Amino acid sequence: MDPSPVPPPPPPHVVIFPLAAQGHVNSMLKLAELLALSGLHITFINSEHIHHRLLQHAEVQARFDDYPYFRFKTISDGLPMDHPRPGDHCLTTFNYIKSITKPLFEELVDAPGQPVTCIIADGMFTFTIDIARDLGVPIIAFRTISASSFWAYFCIPRMIENGDLPIKGDEDMDHIVTSVPGMEDILRCRDLPSFCRVSDLSDWLLQYVTTQTLQTTRARALILNSFDQLEGPAISQIRTHIPNIYTIGPLHSHLKSRLSSAPSSPPPPSASNSLWEVDRSCISWLDEQPPKSVIYVSFGSITTLNRHDFAEFWHGLVNSGRRFLWVVRPDSLAESGPGAVQEELREATAERGCVVGWAPQEEVLQHGAVAAFLTHSGWNSTLESVVAGKPMVCWPFFADQQVNSRFVSRAWKLGLDMKDVCDRVVVERMVNGVMGERKEEFAAAGAEMARRAREAVSEGGSSWDNLDRLIEDIRSMKTGS
C-alpha cells in the first residue's frame, strides 16, 4: 500500500496588534484582511471594548468568517466595558497594555498547533519588539500615520538640537523648520505634530512618541499605509534609517483591488470597520443632490469641538451657500451636550444641509454629489479623499494631522489648510475656495493623484508589488525561530 499522503504544512501564523483607536484598528484590519486573502493564518488582537463596538456596528465577525485561518483574540484595556472612555484614553493605557501583553504573546506562541511566524505590531507599542526577541519571533512595525508625519516624528531630536524646539511662542509659529531633511521648505512650527507645542521638552507625550518612533529601527521592517508616488521623498529619508519598508497603501483601495481580482469574486462593497453606528440616510440624501454640489464635513472619531468652534463652522457652512453633509458624533462637543445645538442646526439648514451621527465615509467621498471634504486631516481620511479625487479643507486637531494638512496644501496642492483658525468668515472663504473659484485647479490635481493611487494598488503597481514582497517574506520566515 502507498503510504498516507503527507498533509501540507500549516500556513504561516501572523499576530496583528493595533493600538485601540478607530484609525489604527481600521487600517490594521484592512491589512489583516489582505494577508488573510493570501491564505495566511491571522490572529488579530483587539481590546475587549473595541471588539464589542466592531461587533455592534461593523459586522466584522461575519466578514472574517469567510477566512478559515482568521481569528480574533481580545484583551482588556484596563477599563470596565461600560466606562465612558475619553477620546484620548488610548494614550493613557500603555503601561497597562504592556503589563498584560507579554504573557498573552507567550500564550499564543506556546499554544499547541499554532506557533507564531511573525508579529505585526502597532508602532506605538515598540515594547513588543523586546517581547518578540525574547520569544524568537520576527516582528514588523506598522505605523498608521503618513510617511511624512513619521519622518517629522523621527526628526524631533534633531529639531531640539537645532533650536527649532521648543517653540518660542505664538510669534514663532510661522518660523520655518530647517532641521527635517527633505522638508526644509515645507514645515513651519505650526505644522509640527501637536505634541511639539509644549514649552517643557520633558513632556511625557512628546518623550513617549519620540521614543516609540526611534525604537522602530529595532524592528525587522516597517509597514506604511502610503504609496511611493505620494510620499516618495519622505519614504527615501526613512529608508536611510530603516532599510526594509513596505509601502502598501492606500489600504482601503488596495483591499478592494485585491478582492476584485480574486477568482470568482463579486465586486466588493465598502468594508466598514466603524466603531460608531452608521446612518445611511445620508446616502439617500446625497442621491437627491446635484452632481458636485455638496461639501462633506467630518472631523473623525476623536476630535472634539467647543461650543464656539462648533458655532463658527455652522455659520461658515450656512453662509457659504453650499449644500453640506456634516457628521456630528454624539460626543463631538467638549462642553454641554450637543442635542439642542444639533436641533438648531437641523432647523437652520433644512434646505441645504444633512446632519448625521456617523457616515459611511468611503462611500460618501466616492459619491458623485460630493465635491469636497472639510476634514481633520487624519491619515485614513486623507487617503480616502486622495483616492476619491476630492479636494480638502483641512482643520487638524492633534498628533500627525498638523503635518498632513500642510502636505495636502503645500506639497500636494490638493486643498487648503486652515489650521489654528476657527472663524466663520474663514470657513466660508475656504469652502468657496475649493468649491468655487479654485475648483478646476484642485479637480485637476486631485484627479491626477487619484490616478496614481489606483495605479499603485493595481497589479504591477508599487503597493501591489510591495504587498506581494511582504507576503513572500513572511512565508520565508521560520516559524517559532
Side-chain angles (χ1 to χ4, degrees), residues 192-234:
L192 296 178
S194 62
F195 44 78
C196 291
R197 300 184 178 197
V198 292
S199 57
D200 181 2
L201 295 179
S202 66
D203 177 79
W204 80 268
L205 185 55
L206 175 67
Q207 289 296 320
Y208 182 86
V209 174
T210 303
T211 300
Q212 297 306 297
T213 303
L214 297 176
Q215 288 288 313
T216 309
T217 59
R218 300 173 56 227
R220 186 184 184 110
L222 173 65
I223 297 171
L224 290 170
N225 182 15
S226 189
F227 59 107
D228 297 346
Q229 298 92 325
L230 181 67
E231 295 196 279

Side-chain angles (χ1 to χ4, degrees), residues 290 313 475:
F313 276 113
R475 290 189 183 281

Side-chain angles (χ1 to χ4, degrees), residues 160-209:
I160 294 172
E161 183 178 344
N162 194 56
D164 291 319
L165 292 179
I167 299 170
K168 307 301 185 296
D170 290 345
E171 70 280 359
D172 203 39
M173 293 298 281
D174 290 317
H175 166 76
I176 301 296
V177 176
T178 59
S179 50
V180 183
M183 300 181 184
E184 292 88 350
D185 61 342
I186 296 178
L187 295 179
R188 307 159 297 178
C189 284
R190 75 172 65 255
D191 305 314
L192 296 178
S194 62
F195 44 78
C196 291
R197 300 184 178 197
V198 292
S199 57
D200 181 2
L201 295 179
S202 66
D203 177 79
W204 80 268
L205 185 55
L206 175 67
Q207 289 296 320
Y208 182 86
V209 174

